[in-house]
């Protein structure tokens, strides 16, 4: 459906977010490694419904937090304090399922990367529709 007129603006409001934090201060998980200087930046996420896989090379924690926003369904802010870039590969079950042998994302983040998603309040951007008009009949 086409609209003749659409007017909107963006607002920032307080809402539910996640803070990406270290599970134990100063300790990385076994699958999280500082990037080698010769590696190239790359991030991919694939899912087949039963399993999701994320491969990351030479990405900052703020980039990783942004990718986790898409996976968790909530804006995610980097509060790890980690500088530099990192590499890892993780697999998880997108939804809890008795048939999946993979753990959920939160468990994988904690056990393999030494990270956690901490629920918090923060500024989120919302889109506000000010006016919308259907096309006039010809």
């Amino acid at each position: 459906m086409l609209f003749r007129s659409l007017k909107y603006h963006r607002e920032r409001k307080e809402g539910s977010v996640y803070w990406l934090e270290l599970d134990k201060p100063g300790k990385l998980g076994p699958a999280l490694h500082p990037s080698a200087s010769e590696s190239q930046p790359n991030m991919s996420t694939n899912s087949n419904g039963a399993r999701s896989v994320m491969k990351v090379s030479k990405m900052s924690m703020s980039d990783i937090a942004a990718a986790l926003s898409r996976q968790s369904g909530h804006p995610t802010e980097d509060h790890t304090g980690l500088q530099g870039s990192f590499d890892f590969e993780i697999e998880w079950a997108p939804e809890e399922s008795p048939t999946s042998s993979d753990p959920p994302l939160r468990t994988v983040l904690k056990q393999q990367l030494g990270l956690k998603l901490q629920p918090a309040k923060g500024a989120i951007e919302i889109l506000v529709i000010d006016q919308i008009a259907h096309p006039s009949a010809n």
Side-chain angles (χ1 to χ4, degrees):
M1 176 176 282
L2 297 175
F3 296 102
R4 185 183 62 175
S5 172
L6 173 66
K7 293 182 183 176
Y8 65 91
H9 70 277
R10 297 177 191 274
E11 289 183 6
R12 294 189 69 76
K13 291 190 173 189
E14 186 172 308
S16 296
V17 300
Y18 285 132
W19 285 4
L20 181 64
E21 300 177 334
L22 284 170
D23 186 46
K24 295 179 182 167
K27 186 167 188 215
L28 301 179
L32 183 62
H33 307 286
S35 298
S37 59
E38 67 276 358
S39 65
Q40 296 297 314
N42 189 32
M43 180 183 297
S44 66
T45 305
N46 296 303
S47 181
N48 65 7
R51 170 182 284 167
S52 291
V53 177
M54 179 183 279
K55 295 179 184 180
V56 170
S57 63
K58 206 165 191 170
M59 291 287 159
S60 69
M61 277 296 147
S62 61
D63 291 334
I64 294 166
L68 291 172
S69 292
R70 292 184 288 278
Q71 301 303 317
S72 69
H74 288 284
T76 302
E77 302 171 2
D78 173 28
H79 286 265
T80 62
L82 296 175
Q83 301 299 313
S85 56
F86 296 88
D87 302 340
F88 64 85
E89 182 175 340
I90 56 174
E91 296 182 12
W92 72 93
E95 297 178 17
E96 296 212 21
S97 166
T99 59
S100 176
S101 61
D102 294 311
L105 178 59
R106 287 175 165 266
T107 301
V108 170
L109 289 174
K110 186 174 185 175
Q111 292 177 350
Q112 295 181 28
L113 303 183
L115 303 173
K116 64 181 176 181
L117 293 175
Q118 185 68 36
K121 292 288 183 186
I124 60 171
E125 188 174 276
I126 61 170
L127 187 68
V128 178
I129 305 294
D130 298 314
Q131 179 183 349
I132 191 166
H134 292 282
S136 58
N138 289 346

